[in-house]
Amino acid sequence: MKREVSKAIKGTWILTIASLFSELLSAIYRIPLQNIVGDRGYFIYQQVYPIYGIFSVLALSGLPVVISKTFAQQDGPVAKSKLMKLTFVGLLAGCLALTILLWGSARYLAIFMGDPNLYPEIRAVSLTFLLVPFEASLRGYFQSDLEMTPSAISQILEQFIRIVVIIGSAILFGKGLLNIYQMGMIANSGALVGGVFAVVILVITFIKQRPVIFEDDQVVDVKVERGLALEILLIVVFTGITIFYQFIDSFTMLRLLMRSGIRLDNAEILKGVFDRAQPLIQLGIVISLSFVSTIMPQLRETNQTSVSKTIIQKMMRVCLWLAVAETAGLVALMPEINTMLFTNADGSVALAIYMISIMLVSFINLLIAITSGDDELNLSKLILFGVSLLFKIALNIILIPRINIIGAAIATVISECMILVGMYLIYDNGVFLLSKDFVMKLVSTGFIMGIIVKFLAVLISRQVILTRGYSILISLLLIPVGVIIYLVLSKKLKILTKSEWEILPMGKFITKLMKIEE
């Protein structure tokens, strides 16, 4: 029993670290990509990215989690073998149909996105869905046996190869060897190349284990939980919540910008500027939620006991504390960080508003994680998500023609707020477990820190021309100042308990350094 628990904890850590590393790679590469190809080139790549994002959710996170749970419920290797065959065939049929649909409708989708020349990119991305049956079923199979290493290695290799192809295509574009659309098509085909490498790793590992895949399984029954399809939908949808909002922006923003009188090439540049937010949001969400996955197994074991509620409360408080710090800091330093990473300050107001998503999506993901076992209300949560997407579409239509990309940022933030309000109403505040005193202190601390950092940034910026060099200098100076202010205010207001401080990365060191006591 102890060996199984030890194996589970080790496996959780391996997969958590691999997922974090992959997410970091996936966020960071976009900065040099934008620097090499510019805002329009970045738009050409990013416009089709949400389609890849859906593939990523299916192959890397959402489906393997649910499939592994179903595999683990089987009575023996023969039953698992039968389930593997059924799962693979079902996924292959669905993904083959989806690939054919995307490939055949690529020209129409490109026109709907606002640029007919994007269709080769859509076709390149559509082929990646053929890999989902292999990746999702094999990762689910390994994870059900607590064998996380094959999933981890394949995931990192997939991202690394993909990024090599993307940056390679950008360099070729920079040297004039590719036009902007060829660059976009090759960059987006990186997902297929990386995926093939991942499948090879998974298949070789699977064959080495010599599974009983060819044994007679006609007399064996496969166990499948009721409500499994709903759980799959819930996990896939909320794991990729930011992807679905990006998907809406890809299909609406360009046309709405052009409707307001902006030319196609300028609209594409504006969309590229707006997409600068994606790596920052992705990094922010990864950092704020990284520690959650390490205590989720403990949460599942304790279920709805008082111990569980204590863990949930700590997770929510620490997660929000981190997310508010990141959001306030990025909003306060947005012109400087924008210039530091992307060479100029274009779109800083829209990006600052968009940064609020870090706090909101972190909280939403946490709430969904701790309530995913509540089968009775899963349908309500899916309906809530669907309504939020309709809100996003409606707000885009209303706001983008009037205030351009600022409107798109506001539409996303309001739609995410709607999900939080809906969760509050669905659970009648029973899932939030946060006192008004905590929320007020936290918001005040983030606001005060942000105001002070913003004041200092404006003061310094007035003395110099905001070049990339000065932006780096200002950011390096004021980020530590913001951290110190936030830590000191949090201690004085006693926002976190000592045990909550210790959950943080380097938490015990911080508690000793700041002399935090119960």
Side-chain angles (χ1 to χ4, degrees), residues 234 237-249 252 357 360-361 364-365 368 379-399 407-423 426:
L234 185 73
V237 160
F238 280 99
T239 303
I241 184 170
T242 56
I243 296 294
F244 287 97
Y245 289 129
Q246 289 177 51
F247 198 80
I248 290 169
D249 286 330
T252 59
S357 286
L360 299 175
V361 173
I364 290 167
N365 282 340
I368 295 301
L379 182 59
S380 300
K381 284 178 276 188
L382 280 173
I383 292 169
L384 175 63
F385 179 75
V387 172
S388 82
L389 292 183
L390 293 175
F391 258 70
K392 167 67 177 169
I393 294 168
L395 289 169
N396 269 11
I397 292 169
I398 294 166
L399 296 174
I410 292 170
T412 298
V413 169
I414 291 175
S415 300
E416 290 161 354
C417 286
M418 207 209 82
I419 292 179
L420 282 179
V421 171
M423 288 290 287
I426 287 171

Side-chain angles (χ1 to χ4, degrees), residues 276 333-346 348 466-469 471-472:
R276 293 179 183 184
L333 285 174
M334 181 41 62
E336 290 74 25
I337 288 174
N338 192 11
T339 307
M340 176 178 73
L341 297 178
F342 303 107
T343 72
N344 60 50
D346 294 351
S348 290
L466 196 63
T467 61
R468 191 174 206 173
S471 294
I472 293 170

